[in-house]
PDB file of all heavy atoms in Angstrom:
ATOM      1  N   ILE A   1      14.350  46.425 163.729  1.00 98.00           N
ATOM      2  CA  ILE A   1      13.621  45.162 163.858  1.00 98.00           C
ATOM      3  C   ILE A   1      12.117  45.394 163.734  1.00 98.00           C
ATOM      4  O   ILE A   1      11.399  44.598 163.112  1.00 98.00           O
ATOM      5  CB  ILE A   1      13.970  44.475 165.188  1.00 98.00           C
ATOM      6  CG1 ILE A   1      15.419  43.961 165.148  1.00 98.00           C
ATOM      7  CG2 ILE A   1      13.002  43.331 165.487  1.00 98.00           C
ATOM      8  CD1 ILE A   1      15.898  43.368 166.460  1.00 98.00           C
ATOM      9  N   ARG A   2      11.639  46.474 164.302  1.00 98.00           N
ATOM     10  CA  ARG A   2      10.208  46.794 164.214  1.00 98.00           C
ATOM     11  C   ARG A   2       9.780  46.926 162.750  1.00 98.00           C
ATOM     12  O   ARG A   2       8.796  46.309 162.323  1.00 98.00           O
ATOM     13  CB  ARG A   2       9.923  48.097 164.963  1.00 98.00           C
ATOM     14  CG  ARG A   2       8.472  48.559 164.884  1.00 98.00           C
ATOM     15  CD  ARG A   2       8.314  49.925 165.537  1.00 98.00           C
ATOM     16  NE  ARG A   2       6.915  50.320 165.625  1.00 98.00           N
ATOM     17  CZ  ARG A   2       6.504  51.501 166.107  1.00 98.00           C
ATOM     18  NH1 ARG A   2       7.400  52.378 166.549  1.00 98.00           N
ATOM     19  NH2 ARG A   2       5.228  51.789 166.148  1.00 98.00           N
ATOM     20  N   TYR A   3      10.541  47.705 161.985  1.00 98.00           N
ATOM     21  CA  TYR A   3      10.203  47.875 160.568  1.00 98.00           C
ATOM     22  C   TYR A   3      10.284  46.551 159.820  1.00 98.00           C
ATOM     23  O   TYR A   3       9.435  46.233 158.984  1.00 98.00           O
ATOM     24  CB  TYR A   3      11.132  48.893 159.917  1.00 98.00           C
ATOM     25  CG  TYR A   3      10.770  50.333 160.176  1.00 98.00           C
ATOM     26  CD1 TYR A   3      11.567  51.143 160.984  1.00 98.00           C
ATOM     27  CD2 TYR A   3       9.634  50.905 159.605  1.00 98.00           C
ATOM     28  CE1 TYR A   3      11.241  52.469 161.221  1.00 98.00           C
ATOM     29  CE2 TYR A   3       9.293  52.233 159.834  1.00 98.00           C
ATOM     30  CZ  TYR A   3      10.102  53.014 160.641  1.00 98.00           C
ATOM     31  OH  TYR A   3       9.780  54.332 160.870  1.00 98.00           O
ATOM     32  N   ALA A   4      11.330  45.777 160.096  1.00 98.00           N
ATOM     33  CA  ALA A   4      11.513  44.499 159.399  1.00 98.00           C
ATOM     34  C   ALA A   4      10.354  43.550 159.685  1.00 98.00           C
ATOM     35  O   ALA A   4       9.814  42.917 158.763  1.00 98.00           O
ATOM     36  CB  ALA A   4      12.838  43.863 159.802  1.00 98.00           C
ATOM     37  N   LYS A   5       9.949  43.442 160.939  1.00 98.00           N
ATOM     38  CA  LYS A   5       8.873  42.524 161.305  1.00 98.00           C
ATOM     39  C   LYS A   5       7.520  42.995 160.776  1.00 98.00           C
ATOM     40  O   LYS A   5       6.618  42.183 160.573  1.00 98.00           O
ATOM     41  CB  LYS A   5       8.837  42.335 162.823  1.00 98.00           C
ATOM     42  CG  LYS A   5      10.013  41.514 163.350  1.00 98.00           C
ATOM     43  CD  LYS A   5       9.868  41.183 164.818  1.00 98.00           C
ATOM     44  CE  LYS A   5      10.969  40.222 165.275  1.00 98.00           C
ATOM     45  NZ  LYS A   5      10.827  39.874 166.702  1.00 98.00           N
ATOM     46  N   GLU A   6       7.393  44.286 160.566  1.00 98.00           N
ATOM     47  CA  GLU A   6       6.159  44.819 159.987  1.00 98.00           C
ATOM     48  C   GLU A   6       6.103  44.607 158.468  1.00 98.00           C
ATOM     49  O   GLU A   6       5.075  44.879 157.851  1.00 98.00           O
ATOM     50  CB  GLU A   6       6.034  46.308 160.294  1.00 98.00           C
ATOM     51  CG  GLU A   6       5.743  46.618 161.752  1.00 98.00           C
ATOM     52  CD  GLU A   6       5.743  48.107 162.059  1.00 98.00           C
ATOM     53  OE1 GLU A   6       6.206  48.903 161.203  1.00 98.00           O
ATOM     54  OE2 GLU A   6       5.282  48.485 163.158  1.00 98.00           O
ATOM     55  N   GLY A   7       7.224  44.168 157.883  1.00 98.00           N
ATOM     56  CA  GLY A   7       7.267  43.984 156.437  1.00 98.00           C
ATOM     57  C   GLY A   7       7.479  45.274 155.673  1.00 98.00           C
ATOM     58  O   GLY A   7       7.286  45.323 154.457  1.00 98.00           O
ATOM     59  N   HIS A   8       7.919  46.304 156.394  1.00 98.00           N
ATOM     60  CA  HIS A   8       8.078  47.624 155.779  1.00 98.00           C
ATOM     61  C   HIS A   8       9.071  47.598 154.610  1.00 98.00           C
ATOM     62  O   HIS A   8       8.851  48.259 153.596  1.00 98.00           O
ATOM     63  CB  HIS A   8       8.557  48.622 156.840  1.00 98.00           C
ATOM     64  CG  HIS A   8       8.807  50.000 156.311  1.00 98.00           C
ATOM     65  ND1 HIS A   8       7.820  50.964 156.238  1.00 98.00           N
ATOM     66  CD2 HIS A   8       9.928  50.581 155.816  1.00 98.00           C
ATOM     67  CE1 HIS A   8       8.329  52.073 155.729  1.00 98.00           C
ATOM     68  NE2 HIS A   8       9.610  51.869 155.470  1.00 98.00           N
ATOM     69  N   TYR A   9      10.150  46.830 154.760  1.00 98.00           N
ATOM     70  CA  TYR A   9      11.198  46.826 153.741  1.00 98.00           C
ATOM     71  C   TYR A   9      10.890  45.925 152.551  1.00 98.00           C
ATOM     72  O   TYR A   9      11.478  46.094 151.480  1.00 98.00           O
ATOM     73  CB  TYR A   9      12.526  46.390 154.373  1.00 98.00           C
ATOM     74  CG  TYR A   9      13.028  47.308 155.459  1.00 98.00           C
ATOM     75  CD1 TYR A   9      13.281  46.827 156.750  1.00 98.00           C
ATOM     76  CD2 TYR A   9      13.251  48.657 155.216  1.00 98.00           C
ATOM     77  CE1 TYR A   9      13.754  47.663 157.748  1.00 98.00           C
ATOM     78  CE2 TYR A   9      13.714  49.499 156.213  1.00 98.00           C
ATOM     79  CZ  TYR A   9      13.965  48.999 157.476  1.00 98.00           C
ATOM     80  OH  TYR A   9      14.426  49.845 158.462  1.00 98.00           O
ATOM     81  N   ASP A  10       9.990  44.988 152.729  1.00 98.00           N
ATOM     82  CA  ASP A  10       9.705  44.007 151.684  1.00 98.00           C
ATOM     83  C   ASP A  10       9.063  44.684 150.471  1.00 98.00           C
ATOM     84  O   ASP A  10       8.019  45.336 150.580  1.00 98.00           O
ATOM     85  CB  ASP A  10       8.780  42.917 152.213  1.00 98.00           C
ATOM     86  CG  ASP A  10       9.345  42.225 153.448  1.00 98.00           C
ATOM     87  OD1 ASP A  10      10.536  42.432 153.761  1.00 98.00           O
ATOM     88  OD2 ASP A  10       8.583  41.483 154.106  1.00 98.00           O
ATOM     89  N   GLY A  11       9.694  44.527 149.321  1.00 98.00           N
ATOM     90  CA  GLY A  11       9.157  45.125 148.106  1.00 98.00           C
ATOM     91  C   GLY A  11       9.654  46.531 147.822  1.00 98.00           C
ATOM     92  O   GLY A  11       9.257  47.137 146.829  1.00 98.00           O
ATOM     93  N   THR A  12      10.531  47.039 148.692  1.00 98.00           N
ATOM     94  CA  THR A  12      11.131  48.354 148.428  1.00 98.00           C
ATOM     95  C   THR A  12      12.420  48.155 147.616  1.00 98.00           C
ATOM     96  O   THR A  12      12.810  47.038 147.317  1.00 98.00           O
ATOM     97  CB  THR A  12      11.444  49.100 149.733  1.00 98.00           C
ATOM     98  OG1 THR A  12      12.372  48.324 150.515  1.00 98.00           O
ATOM     99  CG2 THR A  12      10.178  49.336 150.548  1.00 98.00           C
ATOM    100  N   VAL A  13      13.066  49.266 147.270  1.00 98.00           N
ATOM    101  CA  VAL A  13      14.260  49.173 146.425  1.00 98.00           C
ATOM    102  C   VAL A  13      15.478  49.793 147.100  1.00 98.00           C
ATOM    103  O   VAL A  13      15.360  50.599 148.026  1.00 98.00           O
ATOM    104  CB  VAL A  13      14.037  49.869 145.062  1.00 98.00           C
ATOM    105  CG1 VAL A  13      12.952  49.175 144.265  1.00 98.00           C
ATOM    106  CG2 VAL A  13      13.717  51.360 145.253  1.00 98.00           C
ATOM    107  N   ILE A  14      16.640  49.372 146.622  1.00 98.00           N
ATOM    108  CA  ILE A  14      17.890  50.046 146.993  1.00 98.00           C
ATOM    109  C   ILE A  14      17.993  51.229 146.040  1.00 98.00           C
ATOM    110  O   ILE A  14      18.302  51.070 144.866  1.00 98.00           O
ATOM    111  CB  ILE A  14      19.080  49.074 146.864  1.00 98.00           C
ATOM    112  CG1 ILE A  14      18.895  47.933 147.884  1.00 98.00           C
ATOM    113  CG2 ILE A  14      20.406  49.804 147.108  1.00 98.00           C
ATOM    114  CD1 ILE A  14      19.896  46.817 147.752  1.00 98.00           C
ATOM    115  N   TYR A  15      17.665  52.398 146.537  1.00 98.00           N
ATOM    116  CA  TYR A  15      17.456  53.550 145.664  1.00 98.00           C
ATOM    117  C   TYR A  15      18.671  54.455 145.502  1.00 98.00           C
ATOM    118  O   TYR A  15      18.638  55.397 144.715  1.00 98.00           O
ATOM    119  CB  TYR A  15      16.274  54.377 146.166  1.00 98.00           C
ATOM    120  CG  TYR A  15      16.365  54.807 147.616  1.00 98.00           C
ATOM    121  CD1 TYR A  15      17.173  55.862 148.018  1.00 98.00           C
ATOM    122  CD2 TYR A  15      15.616  54.155 148.594  1.00 98.00           C
ATOM    123  CE1 TYR A  15      17.249  56.246 149.344  1.00 98.00           C
ATOM    124  CE2 TYR A  15      15.680  54.528 149.923  1.00 98.00           C
ATOM    125  CZ  TYR A  15      16.501  55.589 150.284  1.00 98.00           C
ATOM    126  OH  TYR A  15      16.577  55.975 151.611  1.00 98.00           O
ATOM    127  N   ARG A  16      19.730  54.178 146.245  1.00 98.00           N
ATOM    128  CA  ARG A  16      20.941  54.979 146.093  1.00 98.00           C
ATOM    129  C   ARG A  16      22.149  54.057 145.979  1.00 98.00           C
ATOM    130  O   ARG A  16      22.374  53.221 146.840  1.00 98.00           O
ATOM    131  CB  ARG A  16      21.127  55.921 147.284  1.00 98.00           C
ATOM    132  CG  ARG A  16      22.347  56.834 147.164  1.00 98.00           C
ATOM    133  CD  ARG A  16      22.576  57.632 148.427  1.00 98.00           C
ATOM    134  NE  ARG A  16      23.603  58.638 148.267  1.00 98.00           N
ATOM    135  CZ  ARG A  16      24.094  59.387 149.255  1.00 98.00           C
ATOM    136  NH1 ARG A  16      23.637  59.233 150.491  1.00 98.00           N
ATOM    137  NH2 ARG A  16      25.031  60.285 149.023  1.00 98.00           N
ATOM    138  N   VAL A  17      22.916  54.240 144.920  1.00 98.00           N
ATOM    139  CA  VAL A  17      24.148  53.495 144.726  1.00 98.00           C
ATOM    140  C   VAL A  17      25.259  54.490 144.425  1.00 98.00           C
ATOM    141  O   VAL A  17      25.255  55.152 143.390  1.00 98.00           O
ATOM    142  CB  VAL A  17      24.018  52.482 143.573  1.00 98.00           C
ATOM    143  CG1 VAL A  17      25.382  51.923 143.198  1.00 98.00           C
ATOM    144  CG2 VAL A  17      23.077  51.339 143.955  1.00 98.00           C
ATOM    145  N   ALA A  18      26.165  54.619 145.361  1.00 97.00           N
ATOM    146  CA  ALA A  18      27.307  55.526 145.213  1.00 97.00           C
ATOM    147  C   ALA A  18      28.571  54.689 145.351  1.00 97.00           C
ATOM    148  O   ALA A  18      29.038  54.458 146.477  1.00 97.00           O
ATOM    149  CB  ALA A  18      27.260  56.628 146.258  1.00 97.00           C
ATOM    150  N   PRO A  19      29.132  54.188 144.252  1.00 97.00           N
ATOM    151  CA  PRO A  19      30.320  53.328 144.317  1.00 97.00           C
ATOM    152  C   PRO A  19      31.446  53.942 145.132  1.00 97.00           C
ATOM    153  O   PRO A  19      31.727  55.133 145.021  1.00 97.00           O
ATOM    154  CB  PRO A  19      30.710  53.179 142.842  1.00 97.00           C
ATOM    155  CG  PRO A  19      29.426  53.365 142.094  1.00 97.00           C
ATOM    156  CD  PRO A  19      28.688  54.424 142.873  1.00 97.00           C
ATOM    157  N   GLY A  20      32.057  53.126 145.985  1.00 97.00           N
ATOM    158  CA  GLY A  20      33.127  53.614 146.838  1.00 97.00           C
ATOM    159  C   GLY A  20      32.638  54.394 148.042  1.00 97.00           C
ATOM    160  O   GLY A  20      33.435  54.883 148.844  1.00 97.00           O
ATOM    161  N   PHE A  21      31.313  54.476 148.211  1.00 98.00           N
ATOM    162  CA  PHE A  21      30.751  55.232 149.334  1.00 98.00           C
ATOM    163  C   PHE A  21      29.693  54.395 150.053  1.00 98.00           C
ATOM    164  O   PHE A  21      29.990  53.750 151.061  1.00 98.00           O
ATOM    165  CB  PHE A  21      30.188  56.552 148.842  1.00 98.00           C
ATOM    166  CG  PHE A  21      29.670  57.458 149.924  1.00 98.00           C
ATOM    167  CD1 PHE A  21      30.400  57.659 151.097  1.00 98.00           C
ATOM    168  CD2 PHE A  21      28.449  58.115 149.787  1.00 98.00           C
ATOM    169  CE1 PHE A  21      29.928  58.500 152.113  1.00 98.00           C
ATOM    170  CE2 PHE A  21      27.975  58.960 150.783  1.00 98.00           C
ATOM    171  CZ  PHE A  21      28.710  59.147 151.940  1.00 98.00           C
ATOM    172  N   VAL A  22      28.460  54.370 149.542  1.00 98.00           N
ATOM    173  CA  VAL A  22      27.386  53.630 150.209  1.00 98.00           C
ATOM    174  C   VAL A  22      26.368  53.103 149.200  1.00 98.00           C
ATOM    175  O   VAL A  22      26.296  53.569 148.061  1.00 98.00           O
ATOM    176  CB  VAL A  22      26.617  54.511 151.230  1.00 98.00           C
ATOM    177  CG1 VAL A  22      27.539  55.080 152.284  1.00 98.00           C
ATOM    178  CG2 VAL A  22      25.848  55.624 150.520  1.00 98.00           C
ATOM    179  N   ILE A  23      25.561  52.119 149.660  1.00 98.00           N
ATOM    180  CA  ILE A  23      24.282  51.823 149.030  1.00 98.00           C
ATOM    181  C   ILE A  23      23.230  52.102 150.100  1.00 98.00           C
ATOM    182  O   ILE A  23      23.457  51.841 151.278  1.00 98.00           O
ATOM    183  CB  ILE A  23      24.183  50.381 148.497  1.00 98.00           C
ATOM    184  CG1 ILE A  23      24.293  49.345 149.628  1.00 98.00           C
ATOM    185  CG2 ILE A  23      25.226  50.116 147.426  1.00 98.00           C
ATOM    186  CD1 ILE A  23      23.942  47.931 149.181  1.00 98.00           C
ATOM    187  N   GLN A  24      22.092  52.656 149.678  1.00 98.00           N
ATOM    188  CA  GLN A  24      21.080  53.107 150.648  1.00 98.00           C
ATOM    189  C   GLN A  24      19.705  52.603 150.257  1.00 98.00           C
ATOM    190  O   GLN A  24      19.380  52.457 149.087  1.00 98.00           O
ATOM    191  CB  GLN A  24      21.079  54.638 150.717  1.00 98.00           C
ATOM    192  CG  GLN A  24      20.180  55.217 151.796  1.00 98.00           C
ATOM    193  CD  GLN A  24      20.420  56.710 151.989  1.00 98.00           C
ATOM    194  OE1 GLN A  24      21.560  57.173 151.980  1.00 98.00           O
ATOM    195  NE2 GLN A  24      19.355  57.469 152.148  1.00 98.00           N
ATOM    196  N   MET A  25      18.884  52.345 151.278  1.00 98.00           N
ATOM    197  CA  MET A  25      17.568  51.758 151.063  1.00 98.00           C
ATOM    198  C   MET A  25      16.655  52.091 152.242  1.00 98.00           C
ATOM    199  O   MET A  25      17.095  52.691 153.212  1.00 98.00           O
ATOM    200  CB  MET A  25      17.704  50.247 150.904  1.00 98.00           C
ATOM    201  CG  MET A  25      18.296  49.546 152.129  1.00 98.00           C
ATOM    202  SD  MET A  25      19.364  48.117 151.775  1.00 98.00           S
ATOM    203  CE  MET A  25      20.942  48.940 151.491  1.00 98.00           C
ATOM    204  N   GLY A  26      15.380  51.676 152.142  1.00 98.00           N
ATOM    205  CA  GLY A  26      14.487  51.899 153.277  1.00 98.00           C
ATOM    206  C   GLY A  26      13.019  51.902 152.954  1.00 98.00           C
ATOM    207  O   GLY A  26      12.314  50.951 153.286  1.00 98.00           O
ATOM    208  N   SER A  27      12.512  52.957 152.310  1.00 98.00           N
ATOM    209  CA  SER A  27      11.064  53.133 152.225  1.00 98.00           C
ATOM    210  C   SER A  27      10.512  53.342 150.822  1.00 98.00           C
ATOM    211  O   SER A  27       9.303  53.509 150.668  1.00 98.00           O
ATOM    212  CB  SER A  27      10.638  54.332 153.087  1.00 98.00           C
ATOM    213  OG  SER A  27      11.000  54.150 154.438  1.00 98.00           O
ATOM    214  N   TYR A  28      11.374  53.362 149.798  1.00 98.00           N
ATOM    215  CA  TYR A  28      10.894  53.702 148.459  1.00 98.00           C
ATOM    216  C   TYR A  28      10.572  52.464 147.632  1.00 98.00           C
ATOM    217  O   TYR A  28      11.334  51.501 147.590  1.00 98.00           O
ATOM    218  CB  TYR A  28      11.916  54.574 147.723  1.00 98.00           C
ATOM    219  CG  TYR A  28      11.932  55.985 148.263  1.00 98.00           C
ATOM    220  CD1 TYR A  28      12.679  56.299 149.401  1.00 98.00           C
ATOM    221  CD2 TYR A  28      11.172  56.987 147.678  1.00 98.00           C
ATOM    222  CE1 TYR A  28      12.671  57.586 149.919  1.00 98.00           C
ATOM    223  CE2 TYR A  28      11.166  58.278 148.188  1.00 98.00           C
ATOM    224  CZ  TYR A  28      11.912  58.570 149.312  1.00 98.00           C
ATOM    225  OH  TYR A  28      11.905  59.835 149.842  1.00 98.00           O
ATOM    226  N   GLU A  29       9.432  52.518 146.964  1.00 97.00           N
ATOM    227  CA  GLU A  29       8.973  51.436 146.115  1.00 97.00           C
ATOM    228  C   GLU A  29       9.513  51.613 144.698  1.00 97.00           C
ATOM    229  O   GLU A  29       9.991  52.698 144.341  1.00 97.00           O
ATOM    230  CB  GLU A  29       7.444  51.395 146.128  1.00 97.00           C
ATOM    231  CG  GLU A  29       6.874  51.128 147.523  1.00 97.00           C
ATOM    232  CD  GLU A  29       5.356  51.107 147.561  1.00 97.00           C
ATOM    233  OE1 GLU A  29       4.731  51.554 146.559  1.00 97.00           O
ATOM    234  OE2 GLU A  29       4.803  50.645 148.568  1.00 97.00           O
ATOM    235  N   PRO A  30       9.467  50.566 143.863  1.00 97.00           N
ATOM    236  CA  PRO A  30      10.008  50.660 142.510  1.00 97.00           C
ATOM    237  C   PRO A  30       9.457  51.826 141.699  1.00 97.00           C
ATOM    238  O   PRO A  30      10.165  52.400 140.854  1.00 97.00           O
ATOM    239  CB  PRO A  30       9.618  49.310 141.891  1.00 97.00           C
ATOM    240  CG  PRO A  30       9.580  48.372 143.051  1.00 97.00           C
ATOM    241  CD  PRO A  30       9.027  49.192 144.182  1.00 97.00           C
ATOM    242  N   GLY A  31       8.218  52.198 141.942  1.00 95.00           N
ATOM    243  CA  GLY A  31       7.623  53.309 141.200  1.00 95.00           C
ATOM    244  C   GLY A  31       8.038  54.678 141.687  1.00 95.00           C
ATOM    245  O   GLY A  31       7.691  55.692 141.070  1.00 95.00           O
ATOM    246  N   GLY A  32       8.753  54.721 142.810  1.00 95.00           N
ATOM    247  CA  GLY A  32       9.229  55.996 143.330  1.00 95.00           C
ATOM    248  C   GLY A  32       8.461  56.527 144.516  1.00 95.00           C
ATOM    249  O   GLY A  32       8.902  57.481 145.161  1.00 95.00           O
ATOM    250  N   SER A  33       7.324  55.911 144.854  1.00 97.00           N
ATOM    251  CA  SER A  33       6.554  56.384 146.000  1.00 97.00           C
ATOM    252  C   SER A  33       7.191  55.911 147.297  1.00 97.00           C
ATOM    253  O   SER A  33       7.854  54.872 147.339  1.00 97.00           O
ATOM    254  CB  SER A  33       5.105  55.907 145.915  1.00 97.00           C
ATOM    255  OG  SER A  33       5.051  54.489 145.876  1.00 97.00           O
ATOM    256  N   SER A  34       6.982  56.683 148.368  1.00 97.00           N
ATOM    257  CA  SER A  34       7.581  56.387 149.659  1.00 97.00           C
ATOM    258  C   SER A  34       6.540  55.842 150.632  1.00 97.00           C
ATOM    259  O   SER A  34       5.412  56.342 150.692  1.00 97.00           O
ATOM    260  CB  SER A  34       8.213  57.646 150.247  1.00 97.00           C
ATOM    261  OG  SER A  34       8.773  57.386 151.515  1.00 97.00           O
ATOM    262  N   ARG A  35       6.916  54.826 151.381  1.00 98.00           N
ATOM    263  CA  ARG A  35       6.010  54.263 152.368  1.00 98.00           C
ATOM    264  C   ARG A  35       6.023  55.101 153.648  1.00 98.00           C
ATOM    265  O   ARG A  35       7.049  55.683 154.006  1.00 98.00           O
ATOM    266  CB  ARG A  35       6.414  52.829 152.693  1.00 98.00           C
ATOM    267  CG  ARG A  35       6.265  51.887 151.508  1.00 98.00           C
ATOM    268  CD  ARG A  35       6.616  50.461 151.847  1.00 98.00           C
ATOM    269  NE  ARG A  35       6.394  49.590 150.691  1.00 98.00           N
ATOM    270  CZ  ARG A  35       6.613  48.286 150.668  1.00 98.00           C
ATOM    271  NH1 ARG A  35       7.098  47.682 151.765  1.00 98.00           N
ATOM    272  NH2 ARG A  35       6.378  47.573 149.581  1.00 98.00           N
ATOM    273  N   PRO A  36       4.900  55.149 154.367  1.00 98.00           N
ATOM    274  CA  PRO A  36       4.852  55.906 155.619  1.00 98.00           C
ATOM    275  C   PRO A  36       5.756  55.288 156.677  1.00 98.00           C
ATOM    276  O   PRO A  36       5.978  54.074 156.688  1.00 98.00           O
ATOM    277  CB  PRO A  36       3.377  55.837 156.024  1.00 98.00           C
ATOM    278  CG  PRO A  36       2.849  54.616 155.334  1.00 98.00           C
ATOM    279  CD  PRO A  36       3.594  54.524 154.037  1.00 98.00           C
ATOM    280  N   THR A  37       6.263  56.119 157.560  1.00 98.00           N
ATOM    281  CA  THR A  37       7.175  55.657 158.602  1.00 98.00           C
ATOM    282  C   THR A  37       6.677  56.065 159.980  1.00 98.00           C
ATOM    283  O   THR A  37       5.781  56.898 160.117  1.00 98.00           O
ATOM    284  CB  THR A  37       8.586  56.240 158.399  1.00 98.00           C
ATOM    285  OG1 THR A  37       8.511  57.679 158.402  1.00 98.00           O
ATOM    286  CG2 THR A  37       9.182  55.772 157.074  1.00 98.00           C
ATOM    287  N   HIS A  38       7.293  55.480 160.999  1.00 98.00           N
ATOM    288  CA  HIS A  38       6.989  55.847 162.380  1.00 98.00           C
ATOM    289  C   HIS A  38       7.738  57.130 162.742  1.00 98.00           C
ATOM    290  O   HIS A  38       8.489  57.682 161.931  1.00 98.00           O
ATOM    291  CB  HIS A  38       7.404  54.713 163.320  1.00 98.00           C
ATOM    292  CG  HIS A  38       6.662  53.435 163.077  1.00 98.00           C
ATOM    293  ND1 HIS A  38       5.309  53.292 163.297  1.00 98.00           N
ATOM    294  CD2 HIS A  38       7.099  52.221 162.618  1.00 98.00           C
ATOM    295  CE1 HIS A  38       4.935  52.061 162.999  1.00 98.00           C
ATOM    296  NE2 HIS A  38       5.997  51.393 162.581  1.00 98.00           N
ATOM    297  N   GLN A  39       7.557  57.566 163.973  1.00 98.00           N
ATOM    298  CA  GLN A  39       8.243  58.756 164.453  1.00 98.00           C
ATOM    299  C   GLN A  39       9.764  58.540 164.448  1.00 98.00           C
ATOM    300  O   GLN A  39      10.241  57.410 164.637  1.00 98.00           O
ATOM    301  CB  GLN A  39       7.784  59.095 165.877  1.00 98.00           C
ATOM    302  CG  GLN A  39       6.349  59.603 165.940  1.00 98.00           C
ATOM    303  CD  GLN A  39       6.169  60.908 165.191  1.00 98.00           C
ATOM    304  OE1 GLN A  39       6.943  61.853 165.364  1.00 98.00           O
ATOM    305  NE2 GLN A  39       5.147  60.970 164.359  1.00 98.00           N
TER     306      GLN A  39
END
């Protein structure tokens, strides 16, 4: 919730797609750079 309310996820991408397993997302932007995170 902290990350969501900070807008951390907005504008990032779903960067991992493994059919039959998972889709993963979080901190990576379309260009491939990663946003800073908390502890």
Side-chain angles (χ1 to χ4, degrees):
I1 290 175
R2 177 186 187 183
Y3 280 111
K5 289 188 173 181
E6 289 175 347
H8 178 88
Y9 298 123
D10 304 348
T12 60
V13 296
I14 296 173
Y15 54 78
R16 182 186 188 187
V17 168
F21 184 45
V22 302
I23 63 169
Q24 186 169 319
M25 61 215 85
S27 301
Y28 286 83
E29 298 179 346
S33 59
S34 179
R35 295 182 177 180
T37 58
H38 298 294
Q39 290 297 311

